Amino acid sequence: VDDIKVNLEQIVQALIDSRKNKKDQTEEIQKSLIIIADKRTDFNLLSPVIRAAGQAGFESYKFAVMPGRLAGQ
């Protein structure tokens, strides 16, 4: 979280807090999470985040790659 090493419980809490900030959004948006990564990101790093998101109440996930963050750039 913000480039600080955290444990699974801290990830869950950060995601719960994130959902609280979406209260004025539709329920669909409240339960959606966009995960930003690139193809160099090991799934072993993403797996705990996805698991934590489920525990925090997120039901749908989208993956996004930011321009300029592709491998080799």
Side-chain angles (χ1 to χ4, degrees):
V1 177
D2 296 326
D3 295 327
I4 299 170
K5 198 170 199 173
V6 294
N7 63 36
L8 185 60
E9 292 80 21
Q10 291 169 309
I11 296 171
V12 171
Q13 188 57 54
L15 290 168
I16 289 170
D17 294 344
S18 171
R19 284 197 64 214
K20 288 179 185 176
N21 291 333
K22 293 179 162 187
K23 283 189 174 184
D24 59 336
Q25 303 292 324
T26 66
E27 187 171 337
E28 180 181 350
I29 291 173
Q30 288 178 23
K31 293 183 177 186
S32 299
L33 179 67
I34 299 173
I35 298 171
I36 301 171
D38 66 31
K39 64 182 181 181
R40 296 175 297 178
T41 306
D42 189 328
F43 184 74
N44 292 326
L45 293 175
L46 292 176
S47 180
V49 173
I50 296 167
R51 192 172 344 133
Q55 291 176 7
F58 288 93
E59 296 178 356
S60 67
Y61 312 96
K62 295 180 182 178
F63 292 89
V65 175
M66 297 300 292
R69 293 192 180 212
L70 297 174
Q73 290 186 351

